Amino acid sequence: MRGISISEYSNPDQLRVSELDTPKREPKTLLVETIAAGVNFIDTYQRQGLPGYQKPLPLILGLEGSGRVIQSDPDSSFSVGDVIAWPFHPESYAEVVAIPESKAITVPEGVDPKVAAAVMLQGLTAHYLVNSTFEIKPNSKALVHAGSGGVGRLLIQMIKNAGGVVIATASTEQKRESLGALGCDYAIPYEQFHKTVREITDNAGVDVVYDGVGNDTYMQSLASLRKRGLLALFGASSGAVPPMDLQILNSMGSLFLTRPTLADYIATREEYEKRASDIFRDISEKRLIVEIGGEYPFENASQAHIDLQSRKTSGKLLLVP
Ligand code: NDP
């Protein structure tokens, strides 16, 4: 089978398709023919071997996807031919993937399997941020960074569906203009965004900042919060936040800070299924629009990584075998 494997931490232009061994199916595991694999920022951290993201090499990249079951246990609740999707399973940039049943979720009819692949990491992430890390209620005020990105577009829609008010940053006029269609209340540039947020909120600040950008934004994100507001620092697209003096949480208004990760919010099968079924229901009912910002054949995986890191993209990037 073909797949994208790295034997050293590398630049995106080192990504190549090669012939690899087809994975062996263990009990309670499904062998799946991939329909689409999602491209996520975390894949670029793993490709570069950033601290905290290093895995044994060689490594087949990719952490999510969708596909058709080609082998399963005779007593499995999944059958050959079923379309499933999965989050957080390594080696997803491959034509055939072995997925533990515990990570597989059936893609309902009415949901395009490529769209299902697109929402596994980013959709589940947006879901836990808006429902569990800081629960958005009617009139909650939220600031979302990189509003035009994969997670960002989903966050905006989920906050609006819950009745919240959204301010979102995006780097270009074109990206900002695209956010109106998602219901975004205010699309603003990054420059001095904490001041813009204060102007919009009559100086009060927002209840929560969902910040996946990290190093370039976290200080102004803290300065955008109301007293006792929460910074949910969920990513590092611009680089990791350096160690900080916790005293600033006191002096900036008794603020809260959390650094969440998806795995802890889908730790039980029940929680995982609830989040996934909410997302699939909202997609079927067109309350959640998933933009596929680019579909790249495996041969062009390097271009997908280059585009994602160069801030050219909007929405979700997929790799297709
Ligand atoms: P995006 O599609 O959001 O792409 C990243 C965006 O970040 C860019 O398009 C760009 O938008 C913005 N950005 C700002 N500064 C930079 C910079 N210096 N370099 C590159 N991009 C920059 O990616 P994803 O939706 O895949 O991921 C968003 C974040 O969410 C990532 O940090 C990722 O690691 C994190 N994440 C966290 C999870 C968790 O559970 N903690 C799970 C999944 C994702 P613009 O041009 O508008 O600034």
Side-chain angles (χ1 to χ4, degrees):
M1 67 151 195
R2 290 151 65 251
I4 298 155
S5 167
I6 56 166
S7 46
E8 55 185 28
Y9 299 124
S10 68
N11 294 322
D13 50 13
Q14 301 296 313
L15 292 182
R16 305 250 189 285
V17 183
S18 52
E19 204 54 43
L20 303 166
D21 292 338
T22 302
K24 300 249 175 320
R25 194 183 70 78
E26 305 287 338
K28 300 264 172 235
T29 299
L30 308 168
L31 214 56
V32 179
E33 201 169 56
T34 303
I35 295 172
V39 181
N40 290 284
F41 230 88
I42 191 173
D43 305 345
T44 70
Y45 307 154
Q46 289 192 344
R47 191 202 70 235
Q48 296 168 89
L50 297 188
Y53 296 93
Q54 296 188 347
K55 302 281 169 203
L57 299 173
L59 169 70
I60 303 174
L61 292 173
L63 287 171
E64 70 177 348
S66 65
R68 200 170 292 281
V69 176
I70 53 175
Q71 271 182 34
S72 62
D73 286 342
D75 60 350
S76 170
S77 53
F78 297 93
S79 308
V80 170
D82 285 355
V83 176
I84 61 147
W86 61 92
F88 256 143
H89 189 71
E91 310 194 341
S92 296
Y93 289 4
E95 275 178 330
V96 179
V97 186
I99 302 295
E101 289 183 6
S102 60
K103 288 190 179 169
I105 198 104
T106 302
V107 178
E109 281 193 27
V111 175
D112 179 338
K114 287 183 177 170
V115 169
V119 293
M120 284 289 98
L121 252 72
Q122 295 176 345
L124 290 166
T125 297
H127 189 282
Y128 82 69
L129 286 169
V130 165
N131 291 284
S132 306
T133 306
F134 182 96
E135 191 186 348
I136 296 289
K137 303 228 168 73
N139 293 320
S140 297
K141 293 185 182 59
L143 172 62
V144 171
H145 286 308
S148 157
V151 179
R153 297 181 78 83
L154 298 169
L155 274 174
I156 290 170
Q157 295 177 77
M158 288 183 193
I159 294 166
K160 291 311 295 177
N161 287 343
V165 176
V166 193
I167 306 169
T169 53
S171 59
T172 65
E173 191 61 46
Q174 196 185 8
K175 285 186 178 186
R176 290 193 290 276
E177 273 173 12
S178 74
L179 301 186
L182 304 176
C184 181
D185 297 285
Y186 304 91
I188 64 173
Y190 288 94
E191 289 74 29
Q192 300 284 304
F193 67 80
H194 64 299
K195 291 188 178 162
T196 316
V197 168
R198 292 276 163 204
E199 281 164 24
I200 292 170
T201 59
D202 290 334
N203 211 32
V206 289
D207 300 301
V208 58
V209 182
Y210 297 114
D211 188 340
V213 170
N215 188 46
D216 289 358
T217 46
Y218 76 102
M219 273 311 298
Q220 281 193 58
S221 293
L222 290 169
S224 303
L225 287 166
R226 66 156 162 83
K227 287 192 197 314
R228 304 193 320 228
L230 172 77
L231 171 56
L233 188 64
F234 69 94
S237 304
S238 68
V241 171
M244 70 165 86
D245 177 2
L246 292 181
Q247 194 59 27
I248 62 173
L249 300 178
N250 165 319
S251 61
M252 293 179 83
S254 303
L255 303 179
F256 293 85
L257 168 65
T258 182
R259 177 62 177 90
T261 189
L262 173 60
D264 293 327
Y265 285 88
I266 51 170
T268 65
R269 179 79 196 177
E270 191 187 2
E271 196 173 29
Y272 168 35
E273 282 184 4
K274 165 77 177 119
R275 296 193 194 285
S277 73
D278 281 358
I279 293 168
F280 288 149
R281 181 203 59 217
D282 285 353
I283 291 171
S284 302
E285 292 175 0
K286 305 210 179 333
R287 284 161 51 83
L288 199 58
I289 307 299
V290 180
E291 187 201 345
I292 308 294
E295 212 178 291
Y296 300 72
F298 273 8
E299 288 73 15
N300 292 351
S302 58
Q303 194 59 48
H305 276 220
I306 290 167
D307 290 349
L308 187 63
Q309 287 188 282
S310 64
R311 307 175 72 163
K312 278 188 194 152
T313 61
S314 272
K316 179 73 190 185
L317 305 190
L318 294 177
L319 292 180
V320 285

